[in-house]
């Protein structure tokens, strides 16, 4: 495959992207969270090509994106709780794991053979325009190689995947910057927060009551976004740093800026976790490229999008798998 073209997002580019997706090709597109890499969810061949491009392990299921609630009828059953969440948070950065209809026209590769399917209606106008044009469910994991930092600009997608995909739609940086919140509703009495993300826990708990934590050895699908090492830059990452070494790139926050780093990036000089989320992945990449030997990050408050930031940083800092067990 030749190098992917990058088109700035206008109606012609959207129409072309929809044609490519209908033909089984791979298109990266912006969502309000991060850039996704899209493929026709109904096609085994398209989904297999997507997993190959990302080098994503086949046991990691993907999120199916649709243009609106109505498109889910053939795919999944929504109970009253799911309907309420859908009405409140879609379009938006919330993914629901729901019982999959047995005859759902979705490749079993997209759902890793599970009896559930993860679905979301994204809020980005370009993502919605593309989904409306293509009129197919589109599987779209983040547009990075498996295990790496998610892209929040078209340039970041190109740096990782240009040689492996057909087209990149460019609409500038993603407004939220961390992935969607994933809630498992497949056991109606026990909603589980599988991944903190763009919808803060407190907003969901207003609707659902307290969210359960995933049980480690539960006989439920593993959600590999929760694997220890994930969202990882190349350099080692050290958390909760209150002092910094001269060979470290520092990610600071607010007025917490220990002195003496090789280079310092402030996630949010004003101490705003929403701004920090938006800048997190771009600054992790900048720190990675800076020439430092390690990345040190100051403590980030847990409220609002802070929970998602802390989750991603914890995974970025986790021990890396040996190449042989790398996912
Ligand atoms: O914000 C987002 O969600 C982005 C944009 C592109 O929409 N997408 C994204 O997809 O982050 P991905 O594939 O990188 O993450 C999907 C997460 C993974 O943690 C996966 O394990 C989990 O959702 N997941 C998908 N299907 C599941 C299922 N049936 N059961 C449990 N977890 C599931
Ligand atoms: Mg991902």
């Amino acid at each position: 495959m030749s190098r992917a073209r990058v088109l700035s997002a206008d109606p012609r580019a959207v129409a072309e992207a929809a044609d490519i997706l209908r033909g089984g090709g791979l298109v990266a597109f912006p969502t309000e969270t991060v850039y996704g890499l899209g493929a026709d969810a109904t096609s085994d061949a398209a989904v297999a090509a997507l997993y190959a491009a990302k080098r994503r392990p086949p046991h990691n299921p993907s999120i199916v994106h649709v243009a609106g609630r109505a498109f889910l009828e053939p795919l999944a059953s929504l109970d009253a709780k799911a309907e309420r969440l859908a009405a409140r948070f879609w379009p938006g950065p919330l993914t629901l794991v729901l019982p999959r209809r047995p005859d759902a026209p979705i490749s079993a590769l997209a759902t890793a053979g599970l009896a559930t399917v993860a679905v979301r209606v994204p809020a980005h106008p370009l993502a919605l325009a593309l989904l409306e044009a293509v009129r197919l469910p589109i599987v779209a994991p983040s547009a990075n190689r498996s295990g790496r930092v998610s892209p929040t600009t078209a340039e970041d997608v190109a740096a990782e995947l240009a040689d492996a995909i057909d087209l990149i739609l460019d609409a500038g940086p993603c407004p939220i910057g961390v992935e969607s919140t994933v809630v498992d509703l497949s056991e109606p009495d026990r909603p589980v927060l599988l991944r903190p993300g763009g919808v803060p826990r407190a907003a969901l708990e207003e609707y659902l009551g307290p969210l359960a934590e995933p049980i480690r050895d539960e006989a439920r699908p593993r959600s590999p976004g929760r694997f220890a090492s994930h969202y990882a830059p190349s350099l080692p990452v050290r958390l909760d740093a209150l002092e910094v070494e001269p060979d470290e790139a520092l990610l600071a926050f607010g007025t917490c800026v220990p002195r003496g780093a090789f280079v310092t990036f402030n996630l949010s000089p004003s101490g705003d976790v929403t701004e920090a989320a938006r800048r997190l992945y771009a600054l992790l990449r900048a720190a990675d490229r800076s020439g430092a030997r390690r990345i040190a990050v100051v403590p980030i408050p847990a409220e609002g999008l802070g929970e998602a930031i802390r989750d991603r940083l914890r995974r970025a800092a986790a021990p890396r798998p040996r190449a042989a067990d790398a996912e």
Side-chain angles (χ1 to χ4, degrees):
M1 182 178 293
S2 59
R3 236 182 128 69
R5 280 173 313 135
V6 181
L7 294 181
S8 59
D10 61 23
R12 268 201 11 221
V14 169
E16 187 175 336
D19 282 345
I20 292 173
L21 287 171
R22 272 193 296 265
L26 304 179
V27 174
F29 62 95
T31 80
E32 73 278 29
T33 57
V34 300
Y35 275 72
L37 180 59
D40 173 1
T42 69
S43 158
D44 285 338
V47 179
L50 168 69
Y51 274 57
K54 272 188 63 93
R55 303 196 195 115
R56 185 176 178 96
H59 57 77
N60 187 355
S62 293
I63 299 171
V64 173
H65 295 63
V66 292
R69 160 75 187 86
F71 291 92
L72 289 181
E73 221 42 67
L75 309 185
S77 25
L78 280 74
D79 65 8
K81 243 177 218 166
E83 291 290 3
R84 274 202 305 160
L85 289 178
R88 167 67 185 82
F89 292 104
W90 282 347
L94 177 66
T95 294
L96 299 178
V97 174
L98 300 169
R100 174 195 159 122
R101 290 200 196 282
D103 54 352
I106 294 284
S107 164
L109 299 174
T111 52
L114 299 170
T116 53
V117 59
V119 290
R120 131 169 156 88
V121 179
H124 196 292
L126 189 79
L128 281 176
L130 178 60
L131 292 168
E132 270 156 21
V134 75
R135 303 193 77 77
L136 285 168
I138 295 296
V139 69
S142 49
N144 51 278
R145 300 270 185 197
S146 186
R148 313 280 308 165
V149 176
S150 301
T152 51
T153 65
E155 293 75 33
D156 293 344
V157 176
E160 291 240 337
L161 288 173
D163 294 335
I165 68 181
D166 298 296
L167 180 66
I168 302 171
L169 289 179
D170 182 358
C174 299
I176 294 179
V178 290
E179 298 81 353
S180 62
T181 303
V182 182
V183 176
D184 184 349
L185 291 178
S186 60
E187 268 179 61
D189 299 331
R190 193 171 158 275
V192 178
L193 181 63
L194 290 179
R195 179 177 74 181
V199 175
R201 174 195 289 271
L204 286 167
E205 290 189 335
E206 260 180 50
Y207 281 74
L208 288 174
L211 285 161
E213 297 306 312
I215 299 168
R216 245 178 180 286
D217 297 320
E218 215 167 5
R220 60 169 57 244
R222 294 198 297 176
S223 193
R226 304 179 42 248
F227 282 177
S229 173
H230 213 90
Y231 309 100
S234 307
L235 295 177
V237 177
R238 183 167 75 84
L239 301 182
D240 297 323
L242 294 172
E243 287 162 16
V244 70
E245 303 291 328
D247 62 352
E248 288 180 321
L250 176 69
L251 295 194
F253 179 80
T255 54
C256 183
V257 191
R259 295 192 179 268
F262 179 76
V263 58
T264 296
F265 304 97
N266 200 325
L267 287 162
S268 170
S270 66
D272 171 4
V273 283
T274 303
E275 179 184 34
R278 188 161 63 238
R279 289 157 53 83
L280 175 67
Y281 290 144
L283 292 186
L284 272 174
R285 285 169 195 274
D288 219 12
R289 286 190 306 257
S290 67
R293 304 270 306 271
R294 276 192 304 179
I295 300 172
V297 192
V298 304
I300 307 293
E303 83 261 7
L305 295 191
E307 186 179 3
I309 297 174
R310 289 161 59 101
D311 171 79
R312 304 306 188 270
L313 287 171
R314 218 167 30 242
R315 293 174 205 294
R320 309 287 161 86
R322 283 174 292 123
D325 346 304
E327 50 124 350

